[in-house]
Amino acid sequence: VQLQASGGGLVQPGGSLRLSCAASGGTSSSSTMGWFRQVPGKEREFVAAIRWSGDNQYYTDSVKGRFTISRDKSKNTVYLQMNNLRSEDTAVYYCAARLGSRIIQSEIPNQRAYSYWGQGTQVTVSS
């Protein structure tokens, strides 16, 4: 299974971007897909995740109300709509997937719970 992330770029503070992550296959109702981000010198941090069944979305506190995660089953793709971007959102964003078995809720933000990773896409928020 491969994950192909895209959609990063340079945007001014207050602007918007939409990231996409296409999975080559393997998704099922028990799958979870998520987004993490990393800046140089820091640990990779959880941003958002969604159950492939679509019944739950999860966000880190700093992006609640600004970011929305969604998925399109027909395209095997998960999206991260990022609005009202701030300079502190600048990072490399990675999509991740856990396929075939369900992640318990408490482990959703744990990068070790995910088996597959995309290549990362740079998001830079700057004036």
Side-chain angles (χ1 to χ4, degrees):
V1 175
Q2 292 186 330
L3 304 179
Q4 183 67 43
S6 61
L10 172 64
V11 63
Q12 292 186 342
S16 298
L17 280 174
R18 189 177 79 156
L19 304 183
S20 301
C21 178
S24 61
T27 53
S28 67
S29 60
S30 61
S31 300
T32 301
M33 293 186 72
W35 289 95
F36 290 74
R37 64 188 180 187
Q38 189 171 25
V39 298
K42 290 192 175 182
E43 291 282 322
R44 189 173 299 184
E45 68 168 354
F46 171 76
V47 177
I50 187 168
R51 303 280 193 192
W52 200 248
S53 59
D55 52 348
N56 290 101
Q57 297 87 44
Y58 307 87
Y59 300 93
T60 192
D61 286 346
S62 63
V63 308
K64 285 179 181 176
R66 300 188 299 122
F67 291 12
T68 302
I69 190 169
S70 61
R71 56 84 179 108
D72 184 331
K73 286 185 175 180
S74 67
K75 296 181 179 179
N76 251 8
T77 299
V78 65
Y79 303 98
L80 185 67
Q81 177 66 44
M82 305 186 294
N83 297 329
N84 192 19
L85 282 160
R86 306 167 180 167
S87 58
E88 54 263 38
D89 295 317
T90 296
V92 177
Y93 283 70
Y94 297 90
C95 64
R98 168 75 165 262
L99 308 172
S101 60
R102 190 173 176 87
I103 305 176
I104 61 173
Q105 185 170 334
S106 61
E107 288 297 301
I108 291 283
N110 186 348
Q111 60 177 314
R112 296 180 182 83
Y114 297 81
S115 306
Y116 300 93
W117 291 85
Q119 81 282 14
T121 184
Q122 176 71 47
V123 172
T124 302
V125 184
S126 175
S127 56

